Amino acid sequence: MTTAENPATATDTRTITLLVNGREVTRAVSTRTTLSDFLREDLDLVSVHLGCEHGVCGCCTVLFDGESVRACLMLAVQARGHEVETVESLSADQNDLHPIQQSFAEEQGLQCGFCTPAMVLRAKEILADGRERSDAEVRSDISGILCRCTGYQNIVNAVQNAGRKLSRGANGGAGTHDGVGTSAVDGAETEQATDIDRAPGFDGPAGTEQRG
Amino acid sequence: MKPPRFLYCDPDTLEEAVALKSQHEFDALVLAGGQSLMPMLNMRLAGPEVLIDINGVTDLQHIGRINGTLEIGAGVRQSVLEAHSEAAVAVPLIAAAMPHIGHIENRHRGTVGGSIAHADAAAELPCTAVTLDAVIVVRSERGERQIAATDFFQGFLTNACEPDELVVAIRYPVTSPTAGSAFTEFARREGDFALASAGAVAEVDADGRFTSVAIGVGSITTKPVRARAIEEALLGRAATSDVIKDAARQIGDAVTLSSDMHATSRYRRHLATTVVTRAVAAAAADAQNRSAS
């Protein structure tokens, strides 16, 4: 903490502790490092894609305390004491994808995959309320993320498909999931893991390919 | 595309933040939600010696009614204000304008005070502040000042703050329950900067005539402005679409932005007339609904 009396005590580097994908992480960071660079370079979470680095493309979208934000428009030091979620948290095993990832594969909701991690996280955020959405609503919900392949229709289909999977999973579970929060999604994931056909020829988690 | 070096300060209290701004004045920039400043830092359009991050200042997070006004702390996130039911009842124009601000990802971080202080002519909150005669509260170690919104916005990304002053709150007069409110804007894509925007708040009598009307317009000159000539032309007149459309034509004269890659000047004049017409008509309809119910 810098005090008003002596701002010169501030240094270029701060040690921060935060929760990333459910794990507590402590690192020393330069105060001018963006959250997106910190996640990619310090934590190797390369699903956080850097398209424009000035808040236009949305490809670096992460969930910050459960809310979608552009990671290139935050400093890593601002995440101290907070919770960050990237798409790596959805699936530890590429043969056991999260229902949202399954849906993107089934609906061909990706072409080059650059915007996909952001789209998947945004889908997770909006689908948490368990409500069915029209095409127009989904298009509005994902309008903050640019898909350069312009494959929006299949992304819309994938989000809607994922919504159906998640609500089926929630209903088939303990029956008490109301679709709010991580636990409901995790519950759905467990329910869905066995009864969803994998898309033929798809053998990698869509959102986690490494980019230079 | 990385921020330049700066001395990073993250005060916990308003007093500390104000002291830092007083100490560093022009050399310091204030980081609120970062939805405009972070791009400017990443692109090196801004290079402050000191960055004062006010996100930890809890004194700036309040929303509440005070003496007939709705006071919103400068640090309140736009998404929090958007979901605030009491604010939507007290000042319906705010609720109408909020969804137009960027994308939800921007509103999750962006703050009310940050948007006001940034003073972008295309931004929605400055337009609502001008429309509703809001007051901007600024503070320095010399004390607190209240600045009328129409005086606060001075021109292209320029506000009336002295170098040692910090925006701490915005006070909106609580809207009459019988007044109708509407916010209309045109952008090519959802979340883009508006090519023209208008906020309107109006009251109509039993005969359907305007008894009060306030119109603010964004994106037509270097700052958000009131359309006072149109307000005067409408007072006492019947709130019909012909009357409104006829009066709204005058806004074309107020468009000073020259043609750019987003719109020709002529197209912008056309859009300005259209958004003013629609906003006033929708506000009048809302007022009639409110008196009927």
Side-chain angles (χ1 to χ4, degrees):
Chain A
M1 168 54 223
T2 303
T3 64
E5 293 74 33
N6 189 9
T9 56
T11 57
D12 276 340
T13 305
R14 298 278 184 95
T15 298
I16 60 170
T17 297
L18 63 159
L19 210 57
V20 180
N21 294 339
R23 280 209 299 268
E24 195 175 284
V25 170
T26 300
R27 289 284 191 287
V29 294
S30 164
T31 52
R32 68 181 176 123
T33 300
T34 59
L35 178 60
S36 48
D37 279 347
F38 172 70
L39 294 170
R40 284 180 62 83
E41 293 171 16
D42 293 46
L43 303 183
D44 207 26
L45 295 169
V46 292
S47 74
V48 182
H49 288 170
L50 298 181
C52 72
E53 292 185 78
H54 64 283
V56 175
C57 76
C59 290
C60 66
T61 298
V62 298
L63 299 182
F64 184 78
D65 293 338
E67 294 185 327
S68 54
V69 301
R70 304 192 186 301
C72 73
L73 298 189
M74 283 187 65
L75 298 170
V77 68
Q78 294 183 301
R80 181 176 49 186
H82 292 273
E83 183 174 357
V84 177
E85 187 177 348
T86 70
V87 86
E88 281 89 345
S89 71
L90 295 190
S91 168
D93 176 356
Q94 64 179 29
N95 293 315
D96 184 20
L97 295 179
H98 186 281
I100 297 173
Q101 294 170 311
Q102 289 272 359
S103 297
F104 272 73
E106 289 166 12
E107 299 290 342
Q108 302 194 23
L110 68 153
Q111 292 181 54
C112 82
F114 196 80
C115 70
T116 312
M119 291 288 186
V120 168
L121 286 174
R122 180 74 183 123
K124 185 184 176 203
E125 181 186 28
I126 63 174
L127 295 175
D129 65 7
R131 195 169 59 78
E132 218 173 291
R133 283 173 165 72
S134 68
D135 278 21
E137 281 178 291
V138 176
R139 282 175 185 275
S140 173
D141 286 334
I142 63 170
S143 65
I145 305 164
L146 295 181
C147 166
R148 284 148 234 234
C149 308
T150 71
Y152 290 106
Q153 185 55 55
N154 287 354
I155 295 171
V156 171
N157 294 345
V159 173
Q160 290 170 326
N161 181 0
R164 288 189 291 272
K165 278 188 204 296
L166 290 170
S167 58
R168 275 206 309 273
N171 293 338
T176 55
H177 290 315
D178 55 7
V180 177
T182 314
S183 60
V185 174
D186 288 342
E189 184 180 7
T190 313
E191 292 297 319
Q192 287 296 315
T194 52
D195 65 313
I196 292 166
D197 294 332
R198 311 238 176 257
F202 183 82
D203 52 20
T208 54
E209 84 277 30
Q210 186 148 5
R211 304 285 296 210
Chain B
M1 296 299 281
K2 312 292 175 193
R5 288 182 195 284
F6 44 72
L7 179 66
Y8 176 79
C9 303
D10 55 343
D12 289 326
T13 67
L14 184 53
E15 284 63 39
E16 289 170 329
V18 166
L20 284 163
K21 193 74 179 101
S22 295
Q23 183 184 348
H24 296 288
E25 296 199 333
F26 283 115
D27 296 331
L29 287 178
V30 177
L31 178 63
Q35 302 303 291
S36 299
L37 180 54
M38 284 298 296
M40 291 167 75
L41 289 170
N42 285 357
M43 292 191 283
R44 308 284 172 110
L45 296 172
E49 282 182 27
V50 179
L51 194 66
I52 306 172
D53 180 350
I54 57 167
N55 284 277
V57 179
T58 49
D59 310 350
L60 298 175
Q61 305 286 341
H62 59 284
I63 303 177
R65 289 196 193 212
I66 299 170
N67 299 330
T69 69
L70 179 75
E71 179 168 307
I72 306 165
V76 170
R77 304 268 177 224
Q78 290 157 8
S79 59
V80 170
L81 179 59
E82 186 177 358
H84 201 277
S85 51
E86 193 193 334
V89 170
V91 186
L93 185 64
I94 296 178
M98 295 309 292
H100 293 285
I101 302 176
H103 301 281
I104 187 67
E105 293 90 338
N106 304 111
R107 302 197 293 277
H108 279 150
R109 286 298 293 172
T111 66
V112 175
S115 175
I116 293 288
H118 189 54
D120 193 319
E124 290 79 3
L125 280 168
C127 185
T128 63
V130 166
T131 309
L132 294 169
D133 288 320
V135 166
I136 320 299
V137 184
V138 302
R139 193 181 292 182
S140 71
E141 289 195 315
R142 295 175 291 121
E144 195 170 277
R145 284 203 295 155
Q146 299 187 18
I147 307 172
T150 44
D151 298 327
F152 183 82
F153 303 109
Q154 298 201 321
F156 181 69
L157 303 183
T158 306
N159 65 39
C161 284
E162 295 296 330
D164 61 344
E165 284 176 329
L166 194 71
V167 173
V168 295
I170 297 89
R171 289 186 191 142
Y172 285 91
V174 170
T175 305
S176 156
T178 55
S181 304
F183 193 92
T184 305
E185 73 172 44
F186 181 83
R188 289 193 191 275
R189 289 164 298 259
E190 183 167 338
D192 276 14
F193 286 109
L195 295 179
S197 57
V201 178
E203 288 175 290
V204 290
D205 63 17
D207 300 326
R209 295 175 190 282
F210 284 107
T211 56
S212 77
V213 58
I215 306 163
V217 191
S219 284
I220 60 167
T221 180
T222 60
K223 59 181 181 179
V225 289
R226 280 288 283 275
R228 298 207 191 268
I230 302 175
E231 295 172 5
E232 283 164 25
L234 288 173
L235 262 187
R237 304 283 308 277
T240 64
S241 57
D242 286 347
V243 166
I244 295 167
K245 204 169 175 180
D246 190 49
R249 270 190 248 281
Q250 299 181 50
I251 200 62
D253 301 335
V255 177
T256 66
L257 293 185
S258 49
S259 298
D260 59 23
M261 65 175 175
H262 303 294
T264 61
S265 184
R266 190 175 165 208
Y267 182 47
R268 215 182 271 274
R269 285 198 296 274
H270 168 77
L271 289 176
T273 307
T274 303
V275 293
V276 167
T277 303
R278 289 181 185 171
V280 173
D286 185 30
Q288 274 160 342
N289 284 341
R290 283 168 190 270
S291 344
S293 62

